[in-house]
Amino acid sequence: EKFRVTGGGNVGIGCAPSEKLHIYGAGPDVLLENSAGGAISYKIKTSNGSSVVREWHIGADNSPDSFLIRDQTAGANRLVISSAGLVGIGTSSFRSGGNLQIKANTSESAYLDIDSYNDLNAGLRLYENDVFKWQLYNDGDASDVYKIDSASGTAVAVTQAGLVGIG
């Protein structure tokens, strides 16, 4: 048996379905292809029975060529990955040289939150051609001192009290 529709409306391909759509097999790829060359997406909707509460689209667009997660209800792309590998959160307009761009809407500030586990460091490391150059971080084991390190050691340290050490 290759295809089954249960009395409850579940559809199974290669199996007896346990969900509304159940595909089973060795490498069960699913292909959606738009022969006209336009955008294509999976649509996910939540509703209260009579109206859509939230609608999301996950798919590809050819103008520009990108993968996206779109909040269709708000009419906004939430995550875009361009064919060049650029990533935009809250934006699909990429600046030259910006591989990751985060843009807040008009009524919010934009932050990148990095949260570590108990007494461990949280920060940002900078590399050039896979060679470590700088890191900016909260030193979790040293009374939460903020540090800027170069490849040769700590360049600046700032305590919670605002005391600054250089070198």
Side-chain angles (χ1 to χ4, degrees):
E1 179 174 295
K2 300 289 184 190
F3 181 81
R4 178 186 289 186
V5 179
T6 69
N10 290 0
V11 176
I13 300 172
C15 63
S18 60
E19 302 292 334
K20 287 293 179 189
L21 175 61
H22 186 165
I23 302 171
Y24 179 81
D29 295 332
V30 176
L31 174 65
L32 297 176
E33 184 175 358
N34 185 343
S35 62
I40 190 165
S41 66
Y42 292 98
K43 296 178 182 178
I44 302 169
K45 294 182 182 181
T46 58
S47 70
N48 60 14
S50 60
S51 64
V52 173
V53 175
R54 182 69 54 192
E55 180 177 339
W56 292 91
H57 292 192
I58 302 170
D61 193 353
N62 65 344
S63 180
D65 188 16
S66 58
F67 169 82
L68 56 89
I69 298 176
R70 180 173 177 79
D71 180 347
Q72 189 66 23
T73 306
N77 292 335
R78 300 301 187 195
L79 174 71
V80 177
I81 303 173
S82 77
S83 60
L86 305 177
V87 177
I89 300 173
T91 185
S92 57
S93 299
F94 299 103
R95 292 186 191 97
S96 177
N99 293 348
L100 170 63
Q101 295 180 48
I102 302 170
K103 182 168 179 64
N105 68 33
T106 57
S107 62
E108 296 176 350
S109 298
Y111 289 96
L112 176 63
D113 293 336
I114 302 172
D115 189 1
S116 68
Y117 193 69
N118 295 339
D119 296 329
L120 296 174
N121 300 344
L124 181 65
R125 289 189 175 149
L126 307 174
Y127 292 80
E128 180 182 318
N129 200 27
D130 290 330
V131 176
F132 170 73
K133 296 295 182 177
W134 292 95
Q135 66 182 3
L136 301 88
Y137 67 103
N138 176 64
D139 190 340
D141 349 340
S143 302
D144 293 322
V145 173
Y146 176 75
K147 291 184 177 180
I148 300 173
D149 292 353
S150 70
S152 52
T154 300
V156 177
V158 182
T159 69
Q160 292 284 320
L163 302 174
V164 177
I166 298 176

